[in-house]
Amino acid sequence: MKYSIEWLDQQNNAVPEEAATVADVRLFLNQVNVTEHLNGRVPQDHITIAMYGLAYGLARDWWKIFGLREGDVSLISYRSGYVVPDIRLRFDGAAFEIAAEQRVYDNPGVRFWAGPAEVIPRQEAEAHLGRFIEEILDRLKSLGMSESGAHTRWARVKSSLNNPAEALFCEAAGSLALDPYQIDGPTADFIEDAESVFRGQALVEFVAGSAGVRRPDLLDWVRRMLADRSSHYRVPDLESIVREAAGTRLPDLTPQAWAIGYKRARQVRQVLNLDQADRFSSFRDIAKHLGAGPSFNVAPKAEGIRALRTHHSGGCQIHLRNHGESDVARSQHLFAMARALGDAACFLDDEQVAPINDLHNAYRQAAGRAFAAEFLAPIDEIRSMQADQHDLMSIADEFSVAPHVIERQIENSARIAKACSEY
């Protein structure tokens, strides 16, 4: 992401901070100028806006921008009357995406075209956005305005960034779209209690997945599972299997979530000596391959989680939330079991306790879903069954998964091939 700012002096905005920061601005994603637009019928290669609103908005929403795992933040929300392109900021916990969407304004008649998306590592995104904010604040300071609300907010954010524990709390609060500096007591207590169990991105994804459920009950379930070291949940061979599979290292640059998931699925199937046509009919089939005994079973029902993977001195455990006895429940148990195995295969050394939940875009959850799909229903076997003229429902029944899993596998066949050949 690159940008240029050309400051314009002696502007007449009513708010002093806005008058001081009016500028001609150009923003580039993958070397494409995404501020190009039509004003009526006249093409323009820049926008003219007061930059203060952008600086204050980005500083105010910093933890939301880096905390949200579902949805995005658009620069439109900071425009304060000016026309701006619809630039979306998305973060999955590992990769930061900046995308330009089409935007049309009726009054005045302005059209911004859809542009490319640029994906960069978190560190780079923080550096770019931080420099952008500080360039605007430096402009204010040079004109004798150094005590604005944006200055105060940005100073507080930078202070939190310098304290890893505080930054993680703020990011977890941001995952719920909350301001960590004005958070309510019960939610703050929940996050602090969760910090005693989870760490790193596992904490953020656990908190993000708790939206809409009784959080104390969810955390109580997690603690009960951690205290239960019985054979009902033990998978003694899990660690050795995933460590053997991880012998082929992925690149140091973080691949996209689906790439690591698909690749690790192939590797784990190879370690388990599974043929392409080998199937799993239930979660217990997977558990047996991981060394579990006949007593391995589902855990009590809970809201806000699908499974919990733990790795401690006594070995590894997988706690599957009980969905009941229906056919749908059986496929959910199977898929959740595969996702938990996938989380271990992709992230064993990152965190000792990891949630598997209903988030879709979060990095760990997306990697686990990709792993589960390819582990349970390899795309090559799906293609073989299609060649034998089996329909979608028959293929799904054969693999004991929901039809949408097969649909996604077929849609993502090019991605799977790419992941398994390049990484």
Side-chain angles (χ1 to χ4, degrees):
M1 181 184 78
K2 296 181 179 179
Y3 62 87
S4 68
I5 300 174
E6 298 175 16
W7 300 111
L8 303 177
D9 296 325
Q10 298 180 340
Q11 300 301 302
N12 297 320
N13 303 60
V15 179
E17 290 87 352
E18 290 189 357
T21 57
V22 175
D24 291 339
V25 181
R26 295 170 181 83
L27 176 65
F28 300 86
L29 297 179
N30 284 331
Q31 301 182 339
V32 174
N33 183 355
V34 294
T35 46
E36 286 187 344
H37 62 278
L38 278 179
N39 189 343
R41 296 185 177 182
V42 180
Q44 303 285 342
D45 71 344
H46 67 278
I47 56 174
T48 301
I49 61 171
M51 300 288 283
Y52 179 77
L54 291 179
Y56 181 77
L58 291 171
R60 182 195 64 206
D61 287 348
W62 184 271
W63 298 114
K64 179 180 175 181
I65 291 167
F66 286 96
L68 281 181
R69 296 296 178 265
E70 305 290 290
D72 52 37
V73 175
S74 173
L75 294 189
I76 287 175
S77 59
Y78 312 136
R79 70 186 189 95
S80 63
Y82 291 86
V83 295
V84 297
D86 188 3
I87 306 299
R88 306 290 182 94
L89 309 177
R90 306 182 183 103
F91 184 56
D92 65 6
F96 193 91
E97 182 183 70
I98 310 167
E101 306 286 345
Q102 179 171 279
R103 178 72 177 185
V104 178
Y105 295 90
D106 292 329
N107 186 20
V110 172
R111 177 186 294 273
F112 291 93
W113 295 281
E118 186 170 332
V119 179
I120 56 179
R122 176 186 188 140
Q123 243 183 339
E124 190 175 334
E126 288 184 340
H128 281 316
L129 292 181
R131 282 196 297 269
F132 185 77
I133 293 169
E134 290 184 348
E135 187 166 344
I136 298 167
L137 298 185
D138 287 345
R139 165 70 173 181
L140 289 170
K141 187 176 180 180
S142 71
L143 297 175
M145 291 178 249
S146 57
E147 297 183 358
S148 69
H151 284 93
T152 302
R153 181 68 179 202
W154 182 234
R156 193 164 190 182
V157 170
K158 288 201 296 183
S159 176
S160 297
L161 286 169
N162 289 327
N163 183 327
E166 185 176 329
L168 185 59
F169 175 92
C170 291
E171 189 173 328
S175 76
L176 297 172
L178 297 176
D179 184 343
Y181 309 121
Q182 297 180 341
I183 193 170
D184 63 277
T187 305
D189 291 343
F190 168 73
I191 295 173
E192 290 174 349
D193 288 346
E195 286 176 329
S196 66
V197 176
F198 300 96
R199 62 190 192 192
Q201 287 305 306
L203 170 69
V204 178
E205 294 192 7
F206 175 74
V207 172
S210 73
V213 304
R214 293 187 180 91
R215 295 184 179 118
D217 292 349
L218 172 59
L219 196 52
D220 179 65
W221 182 89
V222 168
R223 288 205 170 100
R224 284 189 286 123
M225 294 304 99
L226 290 175
D228 190 333
R229 302 294 178 89
S230 70
S231 60
H232 295 315
Y233 312 117
R234 190 177 302 130
V235 280
D237 297 341
L238 172 62
E239 181 174 4
S240 62
I241 289 168
V242 298
R243 290 203 184 281
E244 183 178 347
T248 304
R249 291 186 58 82
L250 296 171
D252 290 335
L253 290 176
T254 304
Q256 290 174 291
W258 50 263
I260 185 174
Y262 293 139
K263 181 69 173 181
R264 287 289 189 239
R266 294 274 182 97
Q267 292 170 331
V268 171
R269 286 186 68 95
Q270 184 176 8
V271 169
L272 294 175
N273 295 314
L274 296 173
D275 292 331
Q276 177 178 293
D278 286 337
R279 317 277 202 265
F280 298 96
S281 61
S282 76
F283 70 91
R284 287 190 177 89
D285 285 349
I286 298 178
K288 288 177 184 176
H289 280 87
L290 304 180
S295 63
F296 188 89
N297 209 344
V298 294
K301 184 178 179 180
E303 304 286 347
I305 199 163
R306 294 283 181 160
L308 185 74
R309 178 184 66 79
T310 64
H311 178 207
H312 47 72
S313 59
C316 295
Q317 291 184 304
I318 293 176
H319 309 265
L320 295 178
R321 163 193 174 173
N322 191 345
H323 289 283
E325 299 294 333
S326 68
D327 290 342
V328 172
R330 284 192 284 273
S331 69
Q332 289 176 328
H333 292 150
L334 175 62
F335 201 75
M337 184 73 181
R339 287 180 62 194
L341 169 57
D343 187 83
C346 299
F347 309 106
L348 183 67
D349 291 327
D350 288 0
E351 279 85 38
Q352 301 299 310
V353 183
I356 287 78
N357 58 28
D358 287 334
L359 298 179
H360 284 274
N361 298 326
Y363 190 80
R364 294 176 70 110
Q365 307 303 322
R369 277 194 178 83
F371 176 99
E374 180 63 12
F375 182 77
L376 296 175
I379 185 60
D380 291 341
E381 183 63 9
I382 293 173
R383 291 298 193 198
S384 177
M385 293 185 70
Q386 284 185 309
D388 291 338
Q389 298 185 325
H390 292 286
D391 65 16
L392 186 71
M393 293 301 297
S394 295
I395 297 173
D397 289 342
E398 184 69 21
F399 289 110
S400 301
V401 298
H404 71 82
V405 173
I406 305 302
E407 289 177 335
R408 297 291 90 76
Q409 282 289 89
I410 295 169
E411 290 174 4
N412 294 327
S413 58
R415 278 186 167 187
I416 298 171
K418 177 182 174 67
C420 295
S421 63
E422 292 187 4
Y423 295 108

